[in-house]
Amino acid sequence: MNTLAKNQSLLANKLIPLLSTHNDLTITHLKQIHSQIISNGCLNSTELLTSFIFSCYNSQNTKYAELILHSLPTSVPLVWNSMIRVSLDSQNLKDFLDIYHWSRLYGFFPNKSTTSLILRFCARFGASQLGKSFHCQIVKMGFQFDVVLQTGLLDFYSKIGDLRLARRVFNEMSEIDVIANNVMISALSKHGFFDEAKQLFESMPKKNASSWNLLITGYCKAGDVESARSVFDRNPSKDVISWNAMIDGYCKSEQLVYAEEMFTKLGSSRTAVSWNTMIAGYVQCREFARAINLFQEMLNEKVKPTEVTMISLLSACAHIGALDMGEWVHAYINKNRFRVDAVLGNALIDMYCKCGNMEAALDVFHGLHTRNTFCWNSIIVGLGMYGYGSEAIDAFNAMQKEGTIKPDRVTFLGLLCACCHSGLVSAGKSYFSQMKSSYGIEPGIEHYGSMVDLLGRSGLLEEAMELIKTMPMKPNVVVWGSLLRACHVHKNSELGEQVTQHLLDLDPRDGANYVFLSNLYASLNRWTDVAMCRKLMNERGVLKTPGCSSIEVDNILHEFVAGDTSHPQFPQINALLDKIAKDLQANGYEPDTSSVLHDIDDEEKEDVIRYHTERIAVAFGLLNTLPGKTIRIVKNLRTCGDCHVALKFISKLYKREIVVRDRNRFHHFREGHCSCKDYW
């Protein structure tokens, strides 16, 4: 390399990074850089000129950029093509549109390779009208029979979901190769035409690995895992993508045994995608502990986790309330410098909300550079579950003020639930009304259910019943169940019996309906009616869902099911429960046995409620955690009134914060008080 060429290369290496990172250069700076380009003989460097002109454009000095283009008539096509490619690389649709429209003013049209990139860009961002306009330009320029551009158009129409035009392009192709066939198979599979996709696949004179994988993946996504397995077994060139597709298909069809078999057979060929697919499958099938265990195995195998791994793992922690594990995952994310975008950020927010650490959820939320609808919804729903109704409304107002995110159905469901848990009747009615009038969102049955719950909890039982009668859809078990719970709280047995009949008509085998009615009768000492309910349950073979509470200690999840005394520490737990009962009574606690469904003496009833699973879990926590450490419980059913009172006493007497996530909401017990303010 001669001295001049070496100097030009050094200047380009120096200026290109500078230009690409500074979009606020003044005209003085630009003129200085331009003079260096001229004096060093770099006017033939397309890459440097492109960076420079693009920098002029980004710095709002478009006229100066135009002057440069006018002075370079022989290099303009190369520079325009290069500028368009740079704008495409930015993955910003506005940048590309600005540069492209600017080039059209100068009568320039991109070459074939650049046009192919533009079609891919339009396909990726769903820019349907823009892509169709390029189709017209391709025809005008006489490129409509170019195989590369025809394949690009086929891919574009496939990805924007226009199967009619995809078929047309495919049928008009001058030459159909394996790539074009693969694109068409993908399009047909995406739209559910599997027989046609298979017919095309079988007719292909040449197939590659992608051909087989596309058909396997298509069948798996459609839930036809048997057909997918048939194609997989015939595949002569199985690669890791084939295996991963089958693992995913079996997981999505909840056939974990087969998924595990495929995962095991893949052996040392497993990639991070393989591990992620299996972990996500466990989460989808609600095998949360197995998902966490497999992650530990993944680390032992020295396979590097990805953001996708973290999202699945955080979801598992959220469902079982494993806060310690969730915090470890968060620390791992920070230590390994994962990019916490809106998706991963939302997974963290959701985990902290569901694991009972609202402060950490808010910290993550406020630390995000960009937030999507899911992030806002998670924080609104989380605040509502905690009974922070006013704070949830404040978050909704902040979301509106930001202006970039529009509320959706989940946003309003979160708001209504927040109002429900905080007794904000007027606010709830207002938001329910605004859904359609101000935001054009038609309330769904879940929104009506929340309103019935809100009115019922507040004692407005007749108004709740009237709302049910005016619903545009048939009320389901959730709606009637909300009203039945309210009848129980407000001891309205007459309306409760009517509501229960509706519930039994909808689902005569749901044990919860009988239990709710039995609870109502028991609270009124109507033991004959309680016995009648139990008789009906026995005759119809209906089983009551057993209570189950879980607690995580040292990253190990311990579950306690009603009536199960098999835990190795149960003798110590039982002894502590006896001590707790004595301590509570010595400090003024009086058991509320109204929810016990047996006409037995008070002492026996006290024994029944003493062994509710959340109390067993709390006793275990007291035995196995350091003094002062917060005890966190997840329960599958609603916490009963007596346990709610007892846990307030325990939090004060034993100087522990106790967080209970039951089926409906969070209860944070501290110094004898609960965050729900006894409204739940």
Side-chain angles (χ1 to χ4, degrees):
M1 182 183 293
N2 59 40
T3 304
L4 179 61
K6 186 175 181 180
N7 289 339
Q8 290 173 348
S9 177
L10 288 172
L11 182 65
N13 291 338
K14 178 182 177 182
L15 289 180
I16 289 173
L18 173 70
L19 292 167
S20 64
T21 55
H22 289 78
N23 293 325
D24 55 351
L25 296 173
T26 65
I27 188 66
T28 302
H29 292 137
L30 292 170
K31 286 180 178 180
Q32 290 173 347
I33 294 170
H34 192 192
S35 66
Q36 289 189 55
I37 292 172
I38 295 171
S39 61
N40 284 274
C42 293
L43 290 175
N44 292 324
S45 173
T46 301
E47 186 180 5
L48 179 55
L49 281 174
T50 300
S51 295
F52 180 59
I53 295 170
F54 210 82
S55 186
C56 293
Y57 165 77
N58 282 333
S59 301
Q60 309 301 316
N61 289 289
T62 54
K63 290 196 176 296
Y64 194 69
E66 290 178 38
L67 289 172
I68 297 169
L69 286 165
H70 276 303
S71 69
L72 301 167
T74 57
S75 301
V76 165
L78 286 174
V79 172
W80 276 122
N81 276 298
S82 185
M83 286 179 65
I84 288 172
R85 287 168 178 264
V86 170
S87 69
L88 292 174
D89 287 341
S90 73
Q91 298 187 5
N92 186 308
L93 185 59
K94 183 181 182 304
D95 275 359
F96 164 70
L97 288 174
D98 288 347
I99 293 294
Y100 177 69
H101 288 311
W102 192 22
S103 72
R104 295 299 294 133
L105 291 174
Y106 284 83
F108 169 78
F109 189 79
N111 60 24
K112 285 193 291 186
S113 61
T114 303
T115 302
S116 180
L117 285 176
I118 292 171
L119 288 173
R120 271 187 264 169
F121 182 87
C122 293
R124 179 175 181 180
F125 289 93
S128 56
Q129 291 304 315
L130 183 62
K132 289 176 181 178
S133 72
F134 270 96
H135 190 172
C136 294
Q137 291 290 343
I138 288 168
V139 173
K140 286 179 182 178
M141 298 294 289
F143 294 152
Q144 68 268 33
F145 298 114
D146 182 89
V147 174
V148 173
L149 291 181
Q150 284 179 323
T151 305
L153 285 167
L154 176 60
D155 182 62
F156 163 71
Y157 285 120
S158 168
K159 286 179 179 172
I160 67 167
D162 194 330
L163 185 61
R164 182 183 66 84
L165 286 176
R167 287 181 195 270
R168 180 176 168 182
V169 171
F170 184 74
N171 292 331
E172 292 176 354
M173 290 185 72
S174 55
E175 180 184 337
I176 299 177
D177 59 10
V178 67
I179 296 174
N181 275 319
N182 287 348
V183 173
M184 198 62 212
I185 288 171
S186 177
L188 291 167
S189 298
K190 181 180 177 182
H191 288 82
F193 293 94
F194 298 107
D195 290 339
E196 192 175 342
K198 188 175 182 181
Q199 186 177 359
L200 175 59
F201 172 83
E202 299 294 354
S203 68
M204 289 172 63
K206 182 181 179 182
K207 303 177 181 68
N208 60 15
S210 293
S211 312
W212 292 93
N213 291 337
L214 283 167
L215 201 59
I216 293 169
T217 303
Y219 277 124
C220 285
K221 285 184 177 178
D224 188 356
V225 73
E226 290 184 9
S227 295
R229 182 60 186 263
S230 175
V231 177
F232 175 85
D233 289 339
R234 290 173 50 208
N235 185 357
S237 54
K238 298 180 183 69
D239 58 15
V240 69
I241 297 173
S242 313
W243 288 85
N244 289 344
M246 285 306 309
I247 294 167
D248 186 51
Y250 280 127
C251 286
K252 283 186 167 59
S253 62
E254 298 189 1
Q255 299 183 53
L256 284 179
V257 172
Y258 293 113
E260 290 168 334
E261 178 186 340
M262 299 288 284
F263 182 76
T264 302
K265 284 183 178 179
L266 190 52
S268 60
S269 299
R270 290 180 294 211
T271 64
V273 175
S274 313
W275 289 90
N276 289 345
T277 302
M278 196 67 235
I279 291 170
Y282 279 136
V283 173
Q284 181 186 333
C285 297
R286 305 189 66 81
E287 296 285 349
F288 306 118
R290 292 169 77 180
I292 293 171
N293 290 338
L294 188 62
F295 170 71
Q296 299 287 4
E297 189 179 333
M298 180 182 185
L299 293 180
N300 292 337
E301 293 289 328
K302 309 298 182 187
V303 179
K304 189 175 181 181
T306 66
E307 284 85 352
V308 175
T309 324
M310 299 296 105
I311 290 168
S312 293
L313 204 59
L314 288 168
S315 178
C317 294
H319 278 92
I320 59 177
L323 179 62
D324 290 346
M325 186 65 188
E327 289 176 333
W328 184 92
V329 174
H330 193 179
Y332 186 91
I333 289 169
N334 292 334
K335 180 181 177 181
N336 291 275
R337 300 180 182 275
F338 283 96
R339 189 172 70 90
V340 182
D341 58 7
V343 178
L344 184 53
N346 181 60
L348 283 165
I349 293 167
D350 184 60
M351 181 276 294
Y352 278 123
C353 285
K354 289 178 178 174
C355 288
N357 192 336
M358 200 65 220
E359 293 80 4
L362 287 166
D363 285 343
V364 174
F365 178 78
H366 290 303
L368 289 175
H369 296 296
T370 56
R371 307 182 190 111
N372 58 19
T373 307
F374 299 105
C375 297
W376 284 101
N377 288 349
S378 291
I379 213 71
I380 290 170
V381 170
L383 288 166
M385 285 179 68
Y386 263 82
Y388 300 149
S390 298
E391 290 83 350
I393 291 172
D394 289 342
F396 174 71
N397 292 335
M399 176 185 182
Q400 289 183 300
K401 189 176 180 180
E402 192 170 280
T404 56
I405 304 293
K406 291 184 178 180
D408 60 13
R409 300 171 68 86
V410 177
T411 315
F412 281 101
L413 184 60
L415 271 176
L416 293 176
C417 289
C419 293
C420 181
H421 291 312
S422 300
L424 304 174
V425 179
S426 297
K429 288 181 177 180
S430 174
Y431 287 122
F432 185 73
S433 173
Q434 288 178 40
M435 281 185 68
K436 187 174 182 180
S437 62
S438 300
Y439 296 92
I441 300 173
E442 195 72 41
I445 196 165
E446 65 275 15
H447 300 97
Y448 279 96
S450 290
M451 280 303 298
V452 169
D453 200 16
L454 171 62
L455 296 170
R457 287 171 188 264
S458 302
L460 304 172
L461 301 180
E462 295 302 326
E463 190 175 342
M465 190 66 179
E466 285 302 311
L467 179 62
I468 292 175
K469 290 178 181 178
T470 60
M471 284 172 57
M473 70 286 289
K474 185 178 179 180
N476 61 10
V477 292
V478 176
V479 174
W480 287 118
S482 296
L483 186 55
L484 182 57
R485 281 192 296 271
C487 291
H488 180 202
V489 171
H490 297 286
K491 293 182 169 49
N492 188 326
S493 59
E494 183 179 346
L495 182 58
E497 288 177 284
Q498 295 177 35
V499 172
T500 303
Q501 191 55 55
H502 286 292
L503 282 164
L504 295 178
D505 289 341
L506 284 170
D507 190 357
R509 298 192 61 79
D510 186 352
N513 301 331
Y514 299 89
V515 172
F516 275 128
L517 186 60
S518 296
N519 283 339
L520 180 59
Y521 288 145
S523 68
L524 299 170
N525 291 321
R526 292 171 55 176
W527 299 109
T528 301
D529 292 322
V530 171
M532 178 270 295
C533 282
R534 293 177 60 81
K535 182 181 177 183
L536 277 176
M537 289 178 71
N538 291 330
E539 289 175 352
R540 297 176 181 179
V542 178
L543 299 176
K544 176 187 174 183
T545 302
C548 176
S549 295
S550 60
I551 178 173
E552 180 197 22
V553 175
D554 296 330
N555 287 332
I556 298 173
L557 195 71
H558 299 264
E559 287 189 331
F560 299 94
V561 180
D564 181 8
T565 60
S566 61
H567 194 280
Q569 282 188 265
F570 197 82
Q572 297 96 306
I573 293 170
N574 191 35
L576 182 55
L577 286 171
D578 288 340
K579 181 180 183 304
I580 289 172
K582 293 175 183 176
D583 289 343
L584 295 186
Q585 289 184 349
N587 284 273
Y589 159 77
E590 294 182 4
D592 176 9
T593 59
S594 61
S595 62
V596 179
L597 305 185
H598 304 280
D599 186 11
I600 53 180
D601 62 45
D602 288 342
E603 186 175 344
E604 289 179 285
K605 289 180 181 179
E606 289 176 24
D607 284 338
V608 171
I609 58 177
R610 181 186 301 176
Y611 290 101
H612 281 186
T613 58
E614 57 264 61
R615 297 202 199 188
I616 296 173
V618 166
F620 176 83
L622 290 171
L623 285 170
N624 292 279
T625 59
L626 295 173
K629 184 174 175 61
T630 300
I631 295 172
R632 300 176 189 275
I633 310 294
V634 176
K635 185 176 182 183
N636 66 329
L637 303 176
R638 184 176 181 271
T639 296
C640 76
D642 182 73
C643 284
H644 193 265
V645 173
L647 292 176
K648 286 196 293 184
F649 271 93
I650 293 171
S651 71
K652 183 177 182 179
L653 293 176
Y654 289 82
K655 295 181 172 52
R656 292 290 193 107
E657 291 185 20
I658 303 170
V659 179
V660 177
R661 186 181 101 196
D662 70 10
R663 188 171 61 184
N664 296 327
R665 61 167 299 155
F666 272 97
H667 298 273
H668 194 154
F669 301 95
R670 181 188 296 166
E671 296 180 356
H673 301 281
C674 180
S675 59
C676 76
K677 300 179 178 64
D678 297 337
Y679 187 88
W680 90 101

